[in-house]
PDB file of all heavy atoms in Angstrom:
ATOM      1  N   GLU R 406     169.262  86.213  69.674  1.00 87.00           N
ATOM      2  CA  GLU R 406     169.414  85.179  68.634  1.00 87.00           C
ATOM      3  C   GLU R 406     170.307  84.084  69.216  1.00 87.00           C
ATOM      4  O   GLU R 406     170.147  82.859  69.004  1.00 87.00           O
ATOM      5  CB  GLU R 406     170.074  85.811  67.466  1.00 87.00           C
ATOM      6  CG  GLU R 406     169.197  86.700  66.638  1.00 87.00           C
ATOM      7  CD  GLU R 406     167.973  85.905  66.032  1.00 87.00           C
ATOM      8  OE1 GLU R 406     168.298  84.706  65.639  1.00 87.00           O
ATOM      9  OE2 GLU R 406     166.995  86.454  65.893  1.00 87.00           O
ATOM     10  N   LEU R 407     171.355  84.430  70.030  1.00 86.00           N
ATOM     11  CA  LEU R 407     172.278  83.400  70.629  1.00 86.00           C
ATOM     12  C   LEU R 407     171.351  82.482  71.653  1.00 86.00           C
ATOM     13  O   LEU R 407     171.576  81.284  71.578  1.00 86.00           O
ATOM     14  CB  LEU R 407     173.350  84.069  71.418  1.00 86.00           C
ATOM     15  CG  LEU R 407     174.304  83.112  72.130  1.00 86.00           C
ATOM     16  CD1 LEU R 407     174.986  82.160  71.087  1.00 86.00           C
ATOM     17  CD2 LEU R 407     175.358  83.878  72.815  1.00 86.00           C
ATOM     18  N   TYR R 408     170.620  83.101  72.384  1.00 88.00           N
ATOM     19  CA  TYR R 408     169.773  82.244  73.306  1.00 88.00           C
ATOM     20  C   TYR R 408     168.948  81.343  72.581  1.00 88.00           C
ATOM     21  O   TYR R 408     168.784  80.071  72.940  1.00 88.00           O
ATOM     22  CB  TYR R 408     168.896  83.295  74.112  1.00 88.00           C
ATOM     23  CG  TYR R 408     167.896  82.617  75.014  1.00 88.00           C
ATOM     24  CD1 TYR R 408     168.258  82.018  76.322  1.00 88.00           C
ATOM     25  CD2 TYR R 408     166.519  82.442  74.650  1.00 88.00           C
ATOM     26  CE1 TYR R 408     167.250  81.240  77.060  1.00 88.00           C
ATOM     27  CE2 TYR R 408     165.698  81.775  75.403  1.00 88.00           C
ATOM     28  CZ  TYR R 408     165.949  81.162  76.661  1.00 88.00           C
ATOM     29  OH  TYR R 408     165.046  80.555  77.382  1.00 88.00           O
ATOM     30  N   HIS R 409     168.204  81.790  71.555  1.00 89.00           N
ATOM     31  CA  HIS R 409     167.347  80.879  70.848  1.00 89.00           C
ATOM     32  C   HIS R 409     168.115  79.830  69.987  1.00 89.00           C
ATOM     33  O   HIS R 409     167.603  78.680  69.825  1.00 89.00           O
ATOM     34  CB  HIS R 409     166.307  81.690  69.896  1.00 89.00           C
ATOM     35  CG  HIS R 409     165.247  82.334  70.682  1.00 89.00           C
ATOM     36  ND1 HIS R 409     164.060  81.604  71.018  1.00 89.00           N
ATOM     37  CD2 HIS R 409     165.114  83.568  71.135  1.00 89.00           C
ATOM     38  CE1 HIS R 409     163.281  82.407  71.713  1.00 89.00           C
ATOM     39  NE2 HIS R 409     163.850  83.651  71.784  1.00 89.00           N
ATOM     40  N   PHE R 410     169.255  80.163  69.486  1.00 88.00           N
ATOM     41  CA  PHE R 410     170.073  79.205  68.740  1.00 88.00           C
ATOM     42  C   PHE R 410     170.427  78.115  69.889  1.00 88.00           C
ATOM     43  O   PHE R 410     170.403  76.900  69.465  1.00 88.00           O
ATOM     44  CB  PHE R 410     171.386  79.807  68.274  1.00 88.00           C
ATOM     45  CG  PHE R 410     172.420  78.914  67.863  1.00 88.00           C
ATOM     46  CD1 PHE R 410     172.255  78.154  66.788  1.00 88.00           C
ATOM     47  CD2 PHE R 410     173.493  78.656  68.682  1.00 88.00           C
ATOM     48  CE1 PHE R 410     173.180  77.205  66.345  1.00 88.00           C
ATOM     49  CE2 PHE R 410     174.454  77.771  68.437  1.00 88.00           C
ATOM     50  CZ  PHE R 410     174.311  76.939  67.304  1.00 88.00           C
ATOM     51  N   LEU R 411     170.940  78.394  71.006  1.00 88.00           N
ATOM     52  CA  LEU R 411     171.388  77.415  71.902  1.00 88.00           C
ATOM     53  C   LEU R 411     170.131  76.644  72.430  1.00 88.00           C
ATOM     54  O   LEU R 411     170.316  75.386  72.622  1.00 88.00           O
ATOM     55  CB  LEU R 411     172.099  78.115  73.079  1.00 88.00           C
ATOM     56  CG  LEU R 411     173.352  78.821  72.772  1.00 88.00           C
ATOM     57  CD1 LEU R 411     173.995  79.499  74.009  1.00 88.00           C
ATOM     58  CD2 LEU R 411     174.328  77.837  72.212  1.00 88.00           C
ATOM     59  N   GLN R 412     169.107  77.204  72.532  1.00 89.00           N
ATOM     60  CA  GLN R 412     167.795  76.517  72.927  1.00 89.00           C
ATOM     61  C   GLN R 412     167.430  75.364  71.954  1.00 89.00           C
ATOM     62  O   GLN R 412     167.184  74.365  72.347  1.00 89.00           O
ATOM     63  CB  GLN R 412     166.717  77.432  73.137  1.00 89.00           C
ATOM     64  CG  GLN R 412     165.402  76.937  73.880  1.00 89.00           C
ATOM     65  CD  GLN R 412     164.419  77.985  74.102  1.00 89.00           C
ATOM     66  OE1 GLN R 412     164.057  78.647  73.154  1.00 89.00           O
ATOM     67  NE2 GLN R 412     163.854  77.999  75.347  1.00 89.00           N
ATOM     68  N   ARG R 413     167.489  75.874  70.650  1.00 90.00           N
ATOM     69  CA  ARG R 413     167.190  74.922  69.682  1.00 90.00           C
ATOM     70  C   ARG R 413     168.194  73.722  69.505  1.00 90.00           C
ATOM     71  O   ARG R 413     167.922  72.584  69.357  1.00 90.00           O
ATOM     72  CB  ARG R 413     167.104  75.589  68.302  1.00 90.00           C
ATOM     73  CG  ARG R 413     165.800  76.550  68.117  1.00 90.00           C
ATOM     74  CD  ARG R 413     165.578  76.892  66.766  1.00 90.00           C
ATOM     75  NE  ARG R 413     166.879  77.604  66.207  1.00 90.00           N
ATOM     76  CZ  ARG R 413     167.060  78.936  66.320  1.00 90.00           C
ATOM     77  NH1 ARG R 413     166.182  79.776  66.950  1.00 90.00           N
ATOM     78  NH2 ARG R 413     168.167  79.560  65.812  1.00 90.00           N
ATOM     79  N   ALA R 414     169.486  74.159  69.635  1.00 89.00           N
ATOM     80  CA  ALA R 414     170.552  73.221  69.544  1.00 89.00           C
ATOM     81  C   ALA R 414     170.534  72.191  70.677  1.00 89.00           C
ATOM     82  O   ALA R 414     170.751  70.977  70.507  1.00 89.00           O
ATOM     83  CB  ALA R 414     171.873  73.976  69.572  1.00 89.00           C
ATOM     84  N   CYS R 415     170.206  72.642  71.885  1.00 88.00           N
ATOM     85  CA  CYS R 415     170.054  71.663  73.059  1.00 88.00           C
ATOM     86  C   CYS R 415     168.896  70.783  72.884  1.00 88.00           C
ATOM     87  O   CYS R 415     168.968  69.512  73.337  1.00 88.00           O
ATOM     88  CB  CYS R 415     170.017  72.416  74.384  1.00 88.00           C
ATOM     89  SG  CYS R 415     171.521  73.300  74.848  1.00 88.00           S
ATOM     90  N   THR R 416     167.765  71.323  72.413  1.00 89.00           N
ATOM     91  CA  THR R 416     166.603  70.488  72.132  1.00 89.00           C
ATOM     92  C   THR R 416     166.973  69.345  71.083  1.00 89.00           C
ATOM     93  O   THR R 416     166.509  68.169  71.216  1.00 89.00           O
ATOM     94  CB  THR R 416     165.509  71.366  71.615  1.00 89.00           C
ATOM     95  OG1 THR R 416     165.123  72.313  72.635  1.00 89.00           O
ATOM     96  CG2 THR R 416     164.297  70.459  71.351  1.00 89.00           C
ATOM     97  N   THR R 417     167.630  69.758  70.011  1.00 90.00           N
ATOM     98  CA  THR R 417     168.064  68.766  69.004  1.00 90.00           C
ATOM     99  C   THR R 417     169.106  67.832  69.596  1.00 90.00           C
ATOM    100  O   THR R 417     169.020  66.653  69.250  1.00 90.00           O
ATOM    101  CB  THR R 417     168.627  69.554  67.904  1.00 90.00           C
ATOM    102  OG1 THR R 417     167.811  70.476  67.367  1.00 90.00           O
ATOM    103  CG2 THR R 417     169.018  68.480  66.708  1.00 90.00           C
ATOM    104  N   ALA R 418     169.878  68.237  70.562  1.00 89.00           N
ATOM    105  CA  ALA R 418     170.892  67.387  71.192  1.00 89.00           C
ATOM    106  C   ALA R 418     170.221  66.248  72.004  1.00 89.00           C
ATOM    107  O   ALA R 418     170.764  65.120  72.017  1.00 89.00           O
ATOM    108  CB  ALA R 418     171.831  68.074  71.952  1.00 89.00           C
ATOM    109  N   GLU R 419     169.069  66.550  72.545  1.00 87.00           N
ATOM    110  CA  GLU R 419     168.409  65.506  73.355  1.00 87.00           C
ATOM    111  C   GLU R 419     167.952  64.317  72.490  1.00 87.00           C
ATOM    112  O   GLU R 419     167.882  63.185  72.920  1.00 87.00           O
ATOM    113  CB  GLU R 419     167.112  66.186  74.006  1.00 87.00           C
ATOM    114  CG  GLU R 419     167.432  67.194  74.989  1.00 87.00           C
ATOM    115  CD  GLU R 419     166.165  67.976  75.492  1.00 87.00           C
ATOM    116  OE1 GLU R 419     165.015  67.471  75.153  1.00 87.00           O
ATOM    117  OE2 GLU R 419     166.289  69.054  76.233  1.00 87.00           O
ATOM    118  N   ARG R 420     167.819  64.582  71.201  1.00 87.00           N
ATOM    119  CA  ARG R 420     167.468  63.538  70.220  1.00 87.00           C
ATOM    120  C   ARG R 420     168.660  62.852  69.555  1.00 87.00           C
ATOM    121  O   ARG R 420     168.826  61.648  69.449  1.00 87.00           O
ATOM    122  CB  ARG R 420     166.540  64.020  69.155  1.00 87.00           C
ATOM    123  CG  ARG R 420     166.170  63.089  68.076  1.00 87.00           C
ATOM    124  CD  ARG R 420     165.081  63.639  67.189  1.00 87.00           C
ATOM    125  NE  ARG R 420     165.420  64.935  66.683  1.00 87.00           N
ATOM    126  CZ  ARG R 420     166.105  65.093  65.592  1.00 87.00           C
ATOM    127  NH1 ARG R 420     166.488  64.150  64.881  1.00 87.00           N
ATOM    128  NH2 ARG R 420     166.427  66.292  65.175  1.00 87.00           N
ATOM    129  N   LEU R 421     169.588  63.578  69.238  1.00 89.00           N
ATOM    130  CA  LEU R 421     170.808  63.123  68.472  1.00 89.00           C
ATOM    131  C   LEU R 421     172.003  62.675  69.379  1.00 89.00           C
ATOM    132  O   LEU R 421     172.780  61.955  68.891  1.00 89.00           O
ATOM    133  CB  LEU R 421     171.305  64.319  67.570  1.00 89.00           C
ATOM    134  CG  LEU R 421     170.260  64.805  66.430  1.00 89.00           C
ATOM    135  CD1 LEU R 421     170.943  65.909  65.734  1.00 89.00           C
ATOM    136  CD2 LEU R 421     169.919  63.637  65.627  1.00 89.00           C
ATOM    137  N   ALA R 422     172.138  63.127  70.599  1.00 87.00           N
ATOM    138  CA  ALA R 422     173.286  62.876  71.400  1.00 87.00           C
ATOM    139  C   ALA R 422     172.969  61.912  72.590  1.00 87.00           C
ATOM    140  O   ALA R 422     173.701  61.840  73.518  1.00 87.00           O
ATOM    141  CB  ALA R 422     173.747  64.211  72.033  1.00 87.00           C
ATOM    142  N   ALA R 423     171.841  61.229  72.468  1.00 87.00           N
ATOM    143  CA  ALA R 423     171.437  60.214  73.543  1.00 87.00           C
ATOM    144  C   ALA R 423     172.321  58.991  73.369  1.00 87.00           C
ATOM    145  O   ALA R 423     172.600  58.577  72.204  1.00 87.00           O
ATOM    146  CB  ALA R 423     170.120  59.917  73.467  1.00 87.00           C
ATOM    147  N   LYS R 424     172.814  58.374  74.448  1.00 84.00           N
ATOM    148  CA  LYS R 424     173.370  57.103  74.251  1.00 84.00           C
ATOM    149  C   LYS R 424     172.490  56.006  73.778  1.00 84.00           C
ATOM    150  O   LYS R 424     171.372  56.033  74.031  1.00 84.00           O
ATOM    151  CB  LYS R 424     174.000  56.658  75.681  1.00 84.00           C
ATOM    152  CG  LYS R 424     175.220  57.510  76.105  1.00 84.00           C
ATOM    153  CD  LYS R 424     175.731  56.911  77.494  1.00 84.00           C
ATOM    154  CE  LYS R 424     176.890  57.644  78.002  1.00 84.00           C
ATOM    155  NZ  LYS R 424     177.415  57.106  79.225  1.00 84.00           N
ATOM    156  N   ALA R 425     173.181  55.040  73.108  1.00 80.00           N
ATOM    157  CA  ALA R 425     172.367  53.888  72.612  1.00 80.00           C
ATOM    158  C   ALA R 425     171.885  53.032  73.752  1.00 80.00           C
ATOM    159  O   ALA R 425     172.538  52.960  74.833  1.00 80.00           O
ATOM    160  CB  ALA R 425     173.177  53.045  71.677  1.00 80.00           C
TER     161      ALA R 425
END
Side-chain angles (χ1 to χ4, degrees):
E406 287 296 328
L407 178 60
Y408 172 80
H409 282 280
F410 163 77
L411 293 177
Q412 190 177 49
R413 291 193 301 271
C415 288
T416 300
T417 307
E419 294 172 14
R420 176 171 51 87
L421 298 179
K424 286 185 179 180

